[in-house]
Structure formats: C-alpha cells, structure tokens
Amino acid sequence: MRARRADREADGRGRGRGRGQLKAARLRPRDVLHVGSAGLRSRPMRVVLSALGIAIGIATMISVVGISASSQAQLLQELDKLGTNLLVASPGDSMFAGQDVELPEDAVGMVGRIEGVQEVGATADLDTTARRNEKIDKDDTGGITVKATTGDLLRVLRGEVRSGSWLNNATGRYPSVVLGHVSAERLGITAPGRQVWIGNRYFTVVGILAPLPLAPEIERSALVGWEGAKRLLGFKGHPTSVYERTADAAVQDVRKVMAATVDPQNPQNVKVTDPSSALQAKAATEGAFSSMLLGLGGIALLVGGVGVANTMIISVLERRYEIGLRRSIGATRGQIRIQFVAESLMLSGLGGLAGVALGAAATGVYAYSGGLPWVVPLWAVGGGFGATLVIGTIAGLYPAVRASCLSPTLALHAA
C-alpha cells in the first residue's frame, strides 16, 4: 500500500496547481533521443542482432519490388524503342480441312496503299533448308527456316545488322543470305563471308542480324532476297507474312481493314496480329509471381518485430534500477513510456535503414549483372521504412507500459 501511495504521489507531482507543488519537467525531442538511445549505446551487439531481423525483412521486400520494377522498366524501354504500331498479316485457317491458305502476290502493294500505313515489308517461307554444307542430312535443319524477304523488312522491324550488311538490290538477286542471330549460332557462323548450303548450292553470308524481340521467327531464319529466291529457289511470289508500320493514331483503323485489303475475296483467310502485345502483356504482368516473396519478406519483418519486442522486455528487466531512480526523482509514467517507445523506434529504424540499403544494393547487383536499368520505387522505400516504424511502435508498447507501471520503491528495493 505504501508503495502504491508513493507511486501515486510521484505521478501527481506537477498536476496540482497549488503554491509550492513541483511541476514535472518536460522532455524535449532532444532529451527523448538522448534517453531513448541510452539503452542502445550500452548494448551494441544486442542492437545489431535485434535489428538484423528487421533488416532482412525490409531487404527482401525492397529487392523483390526493385528487381520486378527493373525488369518491367527494361520491357517498357524495349517497347518504346520497337514501337507498338507494328501489325502482321499472315495466312489464317482455311474453312476447308487440308486446304492451304496463301496470301495474294500483290499483298504487299495492297497493304502499302492503306491510309495511315508508313512502311511495308514481307517474308515468305521457302520449302528448303539451310545447312553448314551439303554433307549434312537435309532433315537435320536445326530449327532454321529459309525465308525470302523484301528489302524494306529490316527498316519495318527496326532491326539492326550486328555484323556485315543487309540485302540490297544487287545482293538480293544473287546467292547471298543474311542470318538471324540464333540461326547463325546454330550454323556456327560468327562473321560474314562464310558460306551455307541452301537448296542445291552455296549461299554467301553477307550479314548477321542483332536480336529482334518483335519478330523471333526472323531470329531463327536464313533470309535471301525476294528476286534471288524466285530465280534460284523456285519461289512463286506469295508472301507468308506482311509486316507494316502504322501511324500511332491509325493502328486500330488499319487493323480493321487490313485483312479485307490483303484478300478482298476471302478476308477470313487472313490473320492480323500485333507482335508487341506479347511484350505489353509481359510488362503488365511482370512481378505477378513476386507476391510469395513479398509475403516471405513480411513474415521476416514480423519475426524481426518479435525480436525487437523481446529485446525491449529484457531491457526493461535489466534497467529496473534506472527506471526506479528516474521515477523517484520526478519522471512521470508517460515519460518512461516515451523513453522505451523511442528506444524501440530507434532500434527498428536502424534495421529499416540497413534493410533499405541492402535491398537497393541487391537490386543494383541484379540489374548490373543482367544489363537492366536500376529501379527502386520510392513508394517501396517509403512503405518499407514506414512499416518498420509501425512495427517498432507496436513492439515497444508493451515493454514501455510495463516499465511505466514499475513502482519506484519496489524497483529500487529489487535492485
């Protein structure tokens, strides 16, 4: 009873308004930081171990979001570079089983006359193979297709020649070939000037293309000139794929009339596709599989919060004498609570800062190794650090309340 009475009297100091009664001193923010950091400074190893759980949780969350954002940024950069105004017309499925559909020979010219179309190119699949030499079995194609191509194709696809040159009016008429980068690897061709066996003769490699994300079928092809394919390989002149670039504002309008323009008599036999839609869908869904990793990061963060709470409880038990002494010289319960909540916030904040730094560094390493842009969203940094402060507050509430409820007399007596 005496201890409780002394406790109430200590809390009552400063509340009264009568003459001669003492007023409790106010803790300025600087004082709160000083008394809150006192326990951290005296036990640095415990602070490091307690903050580690928070840091791991935040680092996991930041790195998952950052890696996903970096991958998405790369896809968006590719879309900006390649454009979303490319459409491709190709043969569709025939209404009659077993009947092959062919695009008309003048399909390229017809598409070029559509209002809004800026550039047109085409390819045609040829019934032959490309091999390193004539001694290789003709059935061993390596997944490489031979295509006839118009001279405008590379410009329409916004592609680049990695080495050598593209087909021109001269080389397109003679046994010359340009290889996609995948077909060049499979044929073992590393530089122009080598020869490959196509049909029943050798063709000289004049160029090797760089990757074409919007046209992966070209990457696995050997491309010969349109006229050369007619003269040397028996090409009939029917295109298999017609590629066109449209003004951005006219993409949908062109798409509506493209099939009927290519084959006015049988528009249902023409399929019009948008190659960029795959990249757009991939960019939109990038990070969909990161939810599980974010959940694991959240669990690690909660575990870190439990560790902080445990550390604060132990700190209260070890510092009972300090608490009793402060209470006996006039510290109120609210000031004791503020002290330990501040200590918990500092502990969690240190872990949060370390976690943000580690997560950003992990994202940077991943982006650098994969050639991606380094992107760490500000909302992820702010949200992650804010989560540490919330967890720090929650973790420190119970120990702070428990500390403030200690009786000065009993605390000093126990010490």
Side-chain angles (χ1 to χ4, degrees), residues 27-379:
L27 287 179
R28 296 172 297 177
R30 180 178 178 181
D31 299 326
V32 173
L33 292 177
H34 180 74
V35 298
S37 61
L40 304 183
R41 295 194 304 268
S42 62
R43 300 169 180 83
M45 184 56 65
R46 182 183 297 175
V47 170
V48 171
L49 295 177
S50 299
L52 185 60
I54 296 287
I56 291 174
I58 293 298
T60 302
M61 299 175 72
I62 295 294
S63 59
V64 167
V65 174
I67 290 172
S68 176
S70 298
S71 300
Q72 187 178 48
Q74 184 194 37
L75 289 173
L76 293 176
Q77 286 181 0
E78 288 185 3
L79 281 173
D80 290 339
K81 178 182 177 181
L82 300 173
T84 57
N85 58 346
L86 177 68
L87 296 176
V88 182
S90 56
D93 298 327
S94 174
M95 297 178 60
F96 304 98
Q99 180 178 345
D100 295 331
V101 176
E102 288 186 335
L103 299 183
E105 292 185 45
D106 61 347
V108 176
M110 296 292 288
V111 171
R113 288 192 285 271
I114 301 176
E115 184 178 358
V117 172
Q118 298 173 334
E119 297 171 322
V120 185
T123 62
D125 294 338
L126 303 179
D127 188 17
T128 186
T129 60
R131 292 168 284 163
R132 189 67 184 83
N133 54 59
E134 74 276 15
K135 296 180 181 180
I136 297 176
D137 190 345
K138 64 179 181 179
D139 293 329
D140 188 9
T141 64
I144 300 171
T145 59
V146 181
K147 296 178 181 289
T149 179
T150 59
D152 296 332
L153 178 69
L154 193 64
R155 184 170 64 253
V156 175
L157 295 178
R158 294 182 183 175
E160 297 178 354
V161 179
R162 188 175 64 188
S163 59
S165 60
W166 179 244
L167 296 167
N168 53 39
N169 291 334
T171 56
R173 294 176 177 272
Y174 296 97
S176 303
V177 62
V178 172
L179 300 177
H181 84 283
V182 174
S183 59
E185 292 176 357
R186 293 177 179 177
L187 289 170
I189 305 296
T190 58
R194 307 293 293 272
Q195 291 187 321
V196 294
W197 185 263
I198 299 177
N200 58 358
R201 64 185 304 162
Y202 279 103
F203 280 64
T204 301
V205 177
V206 297
I208 298 175
L209 299 180
L212 289 168
L214 290 185
E217 68 278 5
I218 303 298
E219 298 178 343
R220 296 165 177 80
S221 300
L223 305 171
V224 299
W226 201 265
E227 296 301 323
K230 289 181 178 180
R231 189 167 63 88
L232 302 171
L233 300 173
F235 174 45
K236 302 297 184 181
H238 293 276
T240 304
S241 298
V242 178
Y243 302 84
E244 64 84 27
R245 285 281 179 183
T246 305
D248 291 335
V251 172
Q252 295 304 320
D253 294 335
V254 172
R255 185 166 189 167
K256 292 177 182 178
V257 302
M258 192 170 178
T261 303
V262 171
D263 192 348
Q265 297 182 347
N266 299 290
Q268 72 278 0
N269 291 342
V270 181
K271 179 175 61 176
V272 180
T273 57
D274 176 7
S276 66
S277 60
L279 282 179
Q280 294 180 52
K282 186 176 181 181
T285 58
E286 186 66 41
F289 298 102
S290 62
S291 299
M292 182 179 69
L293 293 179
L294 283 174
L296 293 176
I299 293 173
L301 191 58
L302 290 176
V303 171
V306 173
V308 170
N310 184 58
T311 299
M312 295 306 302
I313 292 174
I314 295 175
S315 179
V316 169
L317 294 176
E318 291 179 346
R319 298 163 64 186
R320 295 181 67 182
Y321 179 78
E322 174 192 336
I323 297 169
L325 183 60
R326 289 198 61 209
R327 293 281 284 120
S328 65
I329 62 177
T332 65
R333 291 184 176 183
Q335 291 172 348
I336 297 297
R337 285 194 292 266
I338 289 175
Q339 172 186 348
F340 283 93
V341 169
E343 183 175 335
S344 178
L345 280 173
M346 290 181 192
L347 182 57
S348 299
L350 290 174
L353 290 175
V356 169
L358 289 174
T363 302
V365 171
Y366 179 86
Y368 178 78
S369 61
L372 305 177
W374 182 23
V375 179
V376 179
L378 291 178
W379 65 264

Side-chain angles (χ1 to χ4, degrees), residues 1-13 327 407-409:
M1 293 297 291
R2 292 178 180 177
R4 291 182 180 177
R5 188 179 301 111
D7 190 22
R8 287 195 296 270
E9 290 175 358
D11 276 344
R13 292 172 185 172
R327 293 281 284 120
S407 168
T409 305

